Amino acid sequence: MSRPLYRQIYERMREDILAGRLSHGDRLPSIRQMTRDSGVSRTTVETAYEQLCADGLVNCVPQSGYYVNQLPRRRERVHTAEPQPQKPRYDFSGKYLDPTSFDFDIWRRLSRAVMQDSASFLGYGDCQGEYELRRQIARYLSAGRGVYASAENVVIGAGIQTLLSILCEMFDKSGRRIAFEDPGFQKGLRIFRDHNYEIVSVPGGASGIDIRALYESGANMLYISPSHSFPSGATLPLDKRLKLLEWAQSTGDGILFEDDYDGELRYTGKPLATLSSLDANGQVIYLGTFSKLLPPSIRISYAVLPDVLVPEYLRIAQRYNQTSSTMEQLTMARFIEEGRLEKQVRRLRRIYGRKNEAITRALDRQFGALATVRPNDTGLHLNVSLRISERADSLCARAEEHGLRIIPLSSYRTEGAESETADLYLSCAGIAEKDIEPAIRLLRELCS
Amino acid sequence: MSRPLYRQIYERMREDILAGRLSHGDRLPSIRQMTRDSGVSRTTVETAYEQLCADGLVNCVPQSGYYVNQLPRRRERVHTAEPQPQKPRYDFSGKYLDPTSFDFDIWRRLSRAVMQDSASFLGYGDCQGEYELRRQIARYLSAGRGVYASAENVVIGAGIQTLLSILCEMFDKSGRRIAFEDPGFQKGLRIFRDHNYEIVSVPGGASGIDIRALYESGANMLYISPSHSFPSGATLPLDKRLKLLEWAQSTGDGILFEDDYDGELRYTGKPLATLSSLDANGQVIYLGTFSKLLPPSIRISYAVLPDVLVPEYLRIAQRYNQTSSTMEQLTMARFIEEGRLEKQVRRLRRIYGRKNEAITRALDRQFGALATVRPNDTGLHLNVSLRISERADSLCARAEEHGLRIIPLSSYRTEGAESETADLYLSCAGIAEKDIEPAIRLLRELCS
């Protein structure tokens, strides 16, 4: 189909205006003149000019003619060049996955297979998540995490934040006060704040949450990662877990958000019982993610709700469209079904266990007694406290300039408590094994 | 790797408990007996039993033995069968895309190509959206919608709701009151309500927003779809658009959210200037989506911010992880780059123009003077008012039982105003052309 004549005239004039060949205040050729020059009908030219007026590019001044308008400011903007990717040489931020940690070929093969069935992709997707994936997650969790659920208890979204923003709407906010550990998971806290929850901080840190402070806080919700506290690294022992459940019961309708973001990645010893597996009263909402096991660009997180909360979730979730890509959800379902996820967890456990040891050794070699490292038996990150005179945030800013990305622990603090040491958060997910030694050596050089 | 012995014992016992072969109060074989029976070491058995305790499956009673705990209720749950897909025979809801409207092969080819480059998928993705896609969207909008922006103005998320939930945090909510048309886009309104905005309703409907009521409402934000009001179908003429911009200026720092969800799909006449193209003061946030042009399971929507709002957006967006799949974003970038999106728009314009005509004709044939239809020159849906005695919601509920899905207009109302007619919303996106006549005939039969 060729474009209609009026459209050709309209587009040529518009280009002249946008390119600056016609500028503010210029008069367009009169309709009569344009009709003569172009050999088209008067109506065609009028239609083109009306369209330019409708676009706001041109003004019609009665009895005088058509004049080019002042263009909105942003049209003058120069298109800038592609921003340089800011990937540093050495990355301990945990925002990237080291490419050797994941076999993309398997993922490609599975997504190709999944995409053959076009019929699965015609709608917005189940607001609770694709049934097939929920079923696989339920199976995976019963086998690996002692979380016993069926597909009906599982809900899926593109990241924990999206899930939280729906979960937030399930409760009467005015009667709720939620406790977060400090330092804690700021990206989660943010969602509760956006949704107008009252938030309190409870001391956390290396020794785990202060339960007496939790009681005193008056909170009736708690967000916590008992397997591996984020970012401070504590693992809660069983007796403290049971005390948390006791606390939830003592509040009546208290809710524990158990964020098990890297619970699979325990290197030594036995995995500990999740709060969810200990919960007999339907007070634990279990949160999990694949962002720590697979490349995080695959946006799938999940929550497991106790039976009593499922109907209310479904009522609320109708109001929100699913955010996670159906294609990725169905690929993930196959990935679990074929046993690939369990293999990937074992693979990462080996790699990360080795890397965490290498980081610990390198810190020891370079810093000796100046560094205290903890823990190295679980998860993707460890924390180090350096007894140096510089503050952690200033050290990390200087390191960034030298291509070394490390996050100061203070950036996860709700209240800006000062520390006597420079406390750093080091994730092993993104750094290649061979880079660990030179990266820590560089850190050492920057400290002297 | 074979599983350690303790693990084998642990898993066998756990299965016995979960399957109900051992139940609440049952005593496990003593450690001594188990050691003898299984021929493994005492430590191995102890480790397995400790793990069962840690899982909360078993209690250790000192001096007596190990007893099976009461299982949390949800473990007793029977895994239910896969829910039957609820896709009706005739679907006017617009929640699905008719498979003949999209060429999946092209999408498959492009995603395969994109996935070859593993390096793009290692991180969480740019919180603003992939640069490549933002650039292509900016180009597409300048060519097709008269929205002049560069990649820096474009932000991407998995659906309009996710974008709104970030945009909501850019403004001081306590000083904001946002107006929505009634009937209006409830899924958008919901997000502002979640984020504690004050919301006012302004009469909209077939004749377009009531501008006097807008002034009187005291609002300083407005959410509107001028190209094709959702769901009432009005198209705002240019003079009303200019009045909206005047209103925004009169409020000082007023913001217009222009949701152009199906602005591309105008069948006859000329596309009208978007508010964004007319805005010289940086007060319009333009919102667009691919959910109406491509299968909606592809979760990509975008906003175009005026220059003045970009820095604040970036500051806020750091707090949220990207929700849209990197793979789908990069595939979409190629899709636009190859000119596929423009072809798809032309294709849908033809198909939907034809379908909307067929729906109008069928309604006319079946209902005659009992039906008033409007409009049929734009967009994916039309509205019909039936002069019958039954209420729209009860009619639609009965239709659903007969495999005919139609949405009552009242489900988009903020305040439950009564109508004298049964007002229905009919989208042509999901219904096959050949099904239109029988579907409308079925509707007619249900009305008599």
PDB file of all heavy atoms in Angstrom, chain A residues 150-171:
ATOM      1  N   SER A 150       1.524 -26.924  47.830  1.00  0.00           N
ATOM      2  CA  SER A 150       1.083 -27.364  46.517  1.00  0.00           C
ATOM      3  C   SER A 150       1.027 -26.138  45.610  1.00  0.00           C
ATOM      4  O   SER A 150       1.207 -25.005  46.053  1.00  0.00           O
ATOM      5  CB  SER A 150      -0.271 -28.055  46.625  1.00  0.00           C
ATOM      6  OG  SER A 150      -1.239 -27.139  47.055  1.00  0.00           O
ATOM      7  N   ALA A 151       0.819 -26.386  44.321  1.00  0.00           N
ATOM      8  CA  ALA A 151       0.827 -25.295  43.336  1.00  0.00           C
ATOM      9  C   ALA A 151      -0.101 -24.155  43.753  1.00  0.00           C
ATOM     10  O   ALA A 151       0.159 -22.994  43.430  1.00  0.00           O
ATOM     11  CB  ALA A 151       0.419 -25.834  41.969  1.00  0.00           C
ATOM     12  N   GLU A 152      -1.170 -24.469  44.478  1.00  0.00           N
ATOM     13  CA  GLU A 152      -2.140 -23.449  44.872  1.00  0.00           C
ATOM     14  C   GLU A 152      -1.557 -22.452  45.867  1.00  0.00           C
ATOM     15  O   GLU A 152      -2.048 -21.338  45.998  1.00  0.00           O
ATOM     16  CB  GLU A 152      -3.384 -24.105  45.501  1.00  0.00           C
ATOM     17  CG  GLU A 152      -4.288 -24.809  44.517  1.00  0.00           C
ATOM     18  CD  GLU A 152      -3.676 -26.049  43.904  1.00  0.00           C
ATOM     19  OE1 GLU A 152      -2.780 -26.652  44.550  1.00  0.00           O
ATOM     20  OE2 GLU A 152      -4.048 -26.411  42.780  1.00  0.00           O
ATOM     21  N   ASN A 153      -0.517 -22.867  46.618  1.00  0.00           N
ATOM     22  CA  ASN A 153       0.084 -21.964  47.603  1.00  0.00           C
ATOM     23  C   ASN A 153       1.135 -21.040  46.998  1.00  0.00           C
ATOM     24  O   ASN A 153       1.596 -20.115  47.650  1.00  0.00           O
ATOM     25  CB  ASN A 153       0.754 -22.774  48.724  1.00  0.00           C
ATOM     26  CG  ASN A 153      -0.200 -23.680  49.445  1.00  0.00           C
ATOM     27  OD1 ASN A 153      -0.301 -24.856  49.151  1.00  0.00           O
ATOM     28  ND2 ASN A 153      -0.930 -23.128  50.388  1.00  0.00           N
ATOM     29  N   VAL A 154       1.559 -21.343  45.769  1.00  0.00           N
ATOM     30  CA  VAL A 154       2.681 -20.619  45.169  1.00  0.00           C
ATOM     31  C   VAL A 154       2.168 -19.466  44.313  1.00  0.00           C
ATOM     32  O   VAL A 154       1.204 -19.626  43.572  1.00  0.00           O
ATOM     33  CB  VAL A 154       3.528 -21.582  44.315  1.00  0.00           C
ATOM     34  CG1 VAL A 154       4.678 -20.851  43.639  1.00  0.00           C
ATOM     35  CG2 VAL A 154       4.052 -22.738  45.163  1.00  0.00           C
ATOM     36  N   VAL A 155       2.800 -18.319  44.444  1.00  0.00           N
ATOM     37  CA  VAL A 155       2.471 -17.176  43.584  1.00  0.00           C
ATOM     38  C   VAL A 155       3.762 -16.634  42.997  1.00  0.00           C
ATOM     39  O   VAL A 155       4.813 -16.687  43.631  1.00  0.00           O
ATOM     40  CB  VAL A 155       1.714 -16.070  44.361  1.00  0.00           C
ATOM     41  CG1 VAL A 155       0.461 -16.630  44.992  1.00  0.00           C
ATOM     42  CG2 VAL A 155       2.586 -15.432  45.421  1.00  0.00           C
ATOM     43  N   ILE A 156       3.663 -16.114  41.763  1.00  0.00           N
ATOM     44  CA  ILE A 156       4.864 -15.761  41.009  1.00  0.00           C
ATOM     45  C   ILE A 156       4.806 -14.318  40.551  1.00  0.00           C
ATOM     46  O   ILE A 156       3.739 -13.799  40.217  1.00  0.00           O
ATOM     47  CB  ILE A 156       4.997 -16.712  39.797  1.00  0.00           C
ATOM     48  CG1 ILE A 156       5.337 -18.114  40.288  1.00  0.00           C
ATOM     49  CG2 ILE A 156       6.036 -16.229  38.792  1.00  0.00           C
ATOM     50  CD1 ILE A 156       5.176 -19.191  39.269  1.00  0.00           C
ATOM     51  N   GLY A 157       5.971 -13.655  40.533  1.00  0.00           N
ATOM     52  CA  GLY A 157       6.064 -12.290  40.008  1.00  0.00           C
ATOM     53  C   GLY A 157       7.468 -12.001  39.517  1.00  0.00           C
ATOM     54  O   GLY A 157       8.397 -12.772  39.765  1.00  0.00           O
ATOM     55  N   ALA A 158       7.626 -10.873  38.822  1.00  0.00           N
ATOM     56  CA  ALA A 158       8.926 -10.486  38.276  1.00  0.00           C
ATOM     57  C   ALA A 158       9.749  -9.806  39.354  1.00  0.00           C
ATOM     58  O   ALA A 158       9.946  -8.594  39.331  1.00  0.00           O
ATOM     59  CB  ALA A 158       8.754  -9.575  37.063  1.00  0.00           C
ATOM     60  N   GLY A 159      10.210 -10.583  40.323  1.00  0.00           N
ATOM     61  CA  GLY A 159      11.015 -10.017  41.394  1.00  0.00           C
ATOM     62  C   GLY A 159      10.236  -9.951  42.695  1.00  0.00           C
ATOM     63  O   GLY A 159       9.000  -9.860  42.704  1.00  0.00           O
ATOM     64  N   ILE A 160      10.994 -10.010  43.789  1.00  0.00           N
ATOM     65  CA  ILE A 160      10.397  -9.961  45.117  1.00  0.00           C
ATOM     66  C   ILE A 160       9.612  -8.666  45.332  1.00  0.00           C
ATOM     67  O   ILE A 160       8.553  -8.659  45.959  1.00  0.00           O
ATOM     68  CB  ILE A 160      11.519 -10.087  46.185  1.00  0.00           C
ATOM     69  CG1 ILE A 160      12.125 -11.496  46.181  1.00  0.00           C
ATOM     70  CG2 ILE A 160      11.021  -9.724  47.567  1.00  0.00           C
ATOM     71  CD1 ILE A 160      11.187 -12.573  46.673  1.00  0.00           C
ATOM     72  N   GLN A 161      10.112  -7.556  44.789  1.00  0.00           N
ATOM     73  CA  GLN A 161       9.436  -6.272  45.026  1.00  0.00           C
ATOM     74  C   GLN A 161       8.006  -6.277  44.491  1.00  0.00           C
ATOM     75  O   GLN A 161       7.088  -5.791  45.147  1.00  0.00           O
ATOM     76  CB  GLN A 161      10.240  -5.132  44.399  1.00  0.00           C
ATOM     77  CG  GLN A 161      11.569  -4.892  45.113  1.00  0.00           C
ATOM     78  CD  GLN A 161      12.289  -3.684  44.544  1.00  0.00           C
ATOM     79  OE1 GLN A 161      12.493  -3.581  43.336  1.00  0.00           O
ATOM     80  NE2 GLN A 161      12.685  -2.761  45.396  1.00  0.00           N
ATOM     81  N   THR A 162       7.831  -6.837  43.291  1.00  0.00           N
ATOM     82  CA  THR A 162       6.484  -6.883  42.712  1.00  0.00           C
ATOM     83  C   THR A 162       5.565  -7.740  43.567  1.00  0.00           C
ATOM     84  O   THR A 162       4.395  -7.403  43.776  1.00  0.00           O
ATOM     85  CB  THR A 162       6.526  -7.500  41.307  1.00  0.00           C
ATOM     86  OG1 THR A 162       7.812  -7.329  40.755  1.00  0.00           O
ATOM     87  CG2 THR A 162       5.492  -6.890  40.432  1.00  0.00           C
ATOM     88  N   LEU A 163       6.076  -8.874  44.043  1.00  0.00           N
ATOM     89  CA  LEU A 163       5.265  -9.725  44.903  1.00  0.00           C
ATOM     90  C   LEU A 163       4.895  -8.996  46.185  1.00  0.00           C
ATOM     91  O   LEU A 163       3.748  -9.024  46.625  1.00  0.00           O
ATOM     92  CB  LEU A 163       6.026 -11.009  45.239  1.00  0.00           C
ATOM     93  CG  LEU A 163       6.122 -12.013  44.096  1.00  0.00           C
ATOM     94  CD1 LEU A 163       7.090 -13.132  44.457  1.00  0.00           C
ATOM     95  CD2 LEU A 163       4.745 -12.595  43.781  1.00  0.00           C
ATOM     96  N   LEU A 164       5.888  -8.320  46.781  1.00  0.00           N
ATOM     97  CA  LEU A 164       5.609  -7.611  48.034  1.00  0.00           C
ATOM     98  C   LEU A 164       4.546  -6.543  47.827  1.00  0.00           C
ATOM     99  O   LEU A 164       3.702  -6.327  48.692  1.00  0.00           O
ATOM    100  CB  LEU A 164       6.893  -6.972  48.584  1.00  0.00           C
ATOM    101  CG  LEU A 164       7.927  -7.932  49.171  1.00  0.00           C
ATOM    102  CD1 LEU A 164       9.151  -7.150  49.645  1.00  0.00           C
ATOM    103  CD2 LEU A 164       7.339  -8.752  50.325  1.00  0.00           C
ATOM    104  N   SER A 165       4.575  -5.882  46.678  1.00  0.00           N
ATOM    105  CA  SER A 165       3.618  -4.786  46.509  1.00  0.00           C
ATOM    106  C   SER A 165       2.195  -5.322  46.425  1.00  0.00           C
ATOM    107  O   SER A 165       1.244  -4.611  46.748  1.00  0.00           O
ATOM    108  CB  SER A 165       3.982  -3.895  45.321  1.00  0.00           C
ATOM    109  OG  SER A 165       3.868  -4.604  44.132  1.00  0.00           O
ATOM    110  N   ILE A 166       2.027  -6.570  46.015  1.00  0.00           N
ATOM    111  CA  ILE A 166       0.686  -7.175  46.074  1.00  0.00           C
ATOM    112  C   ILE A 166       0.396  -7.677  47.492  1.00  0.00           C
ATOM    113  O   ILE A 166      -0.676  -7.430  48.042  1.00  0.00           O
ATOM    114  CB  ILE A 166       0.557  -8.317  45.048  1.00  0.00           C
ATOM    115  CG1 ILE A 166       0.819  -7.764  43.636  1.00  0.00           C
ATOM    116  CG2 ILE A 166      -0.829  -8.946  45.118  1.00  0.00           C
ATOM    117  CD1 ILE A 166       0.763  -8.801  42.531  1.00  0.00           C
ATOM    118  N   LEU A 167       1.384  -8.340  48.103  1.00  0.00           N
ATOM    119  CA  LEU A 167       1.200  -8.849  49.465  1.00  0.00           C
ATOM    120  C   LEU A 167       0.833  -7.713  50.427  1.00  0.00           C
ATOM    121  O   LEU A 167       0.007  -7.881  51.329  1.00  0.00           O
ATOM    122  CB  LEU A 167       2.464  -9.567  49.944  1.00  0.00           C
ATOM    123  CG  LEU A 167       2.827 -10.860  49.186  1.00  0.00           C
ATOM    124  CD1 LEU A 167       4.194 -11.375  49.616  1.00  0.00           C
ATOM    125  CD2 LEU A 167       1.771 -11.939  49.391  1.00  0.00           C
ATOM    126  N   CYS A 168       1.468  -6.548  50.232  1.00  0.00           N
ATOM    127  CA  CYS A 168       1.191  -5.380  51.078  1.00  0.00           C
ATOM    128  C   CYS A 168      -0.290  -5.040  51.120  1.00  0.00           C
ATOM    129  O   CYS A 168      -0.794  -4.550  52.140  1.00  0.00           O
ATOM    130  CB  CYS A 168       1.917  -4.146  50.518  1.00  0.00           C
ATOM    131  SG  CYS A 168       3.585  -3.945  51.126  1.00  0.00           S
ATOM    132  N   GLU A 169      -0.975  -5.269  50.010  1.00  0.00           N
ATOM    133  CA  GLU A 169      -2.383  -4.874  49.925  1.00  0.00           C
ATOM    134  C   GLU A 169      -3.329  -5.897  50.549  1.00  0.00           C
ATOM    135  O   GLU A 169      -4.532  -5.706  50.575  1.00  0.00           O
ATOM    136  CB  GLU A 169      -2.759  -4.609  48.465  1.00  0.00           C
ATOM    137  CG  GLU A 169      -2.056  -3.391  47.880  1.00  0.00           C
ATOM    138  CD  GLU A 169      -2.370  -2.118  48.649  1.00  0.00           C
ATOM    139  OE1 GLU A 169      -3.542  -1.899  48.973  1.00  0.00           O
ATOM    140  OE2 GLU A 169      -1.424  -1.359  48.955  1.00  0.00           O
ATOM    141  N   MET A 170      -2.760  -7.014  51.037  1.00  0.00           N
ATOM    142  CA  MET A 170      -3.606  -8.054  51.640  1.00  0.00           C
ATOM    143  C   MET A 170      -3.984  -7.748  53.076  1.00  0.00           C
ATOM    144  O   MET A 170      -4.869  -8.385  53.631  1.00  0.00           O
ATOM    145  CB  MET A 170      -2.880  -9.402  51.626  1.00  0.00           C
ATOM    146  CG  MET A 170      -2.816 -10.044  50.271  1.00  0.00           C
ATOM    147  SD  MET A 170      -1.825 -11.551  50.349  1.00  0.00           S
ATOM    148  CE  MET A 170      -2.667 -12.494  51.615  1.00  0.00           C
ATOM    149  N   PHE A 171      -3.264  -6.822  53.673  1.00  0.00           N
ATOM    150  CA  PHE A 171      -3.458  -6.585  55.104  1.00  0.00           C
ATOM    151  C   PHE A 171      -3.950  -5.175  55.343  1.00  0.00           C
ATOM    152  O   PHE A 171      -3.733  -4.279  54.528  1.00  0.00           O
ATOM    153  CB  PHE A 171      -2.136  -6.826  55.853  1.00  0.00           C
ATOM    154  CG  PHE A 171      -1.585  -8.207  55.619  1.00  0.00           C
ATOM    155  CD1 PHE A 171      -0.605  -8.429  54.656  1.00  0.00           C
ATOM    156  CD2 PHE A 171      -2.079  -9.290  56.335  1.00  0.00           C
ATOM    157  CE1 PHE A 171      -0.108  -9.717  54.422  1.00  0.00           C
ATOM    158  CE2 PHE A 171      -1.598 -10.572  56.108  1.00  0.00           C
ATOM    159  CZ  PHE A 171      -0.614 -10.779  55.152  1.00  0.00           C
TER     160      PHE A 171
END
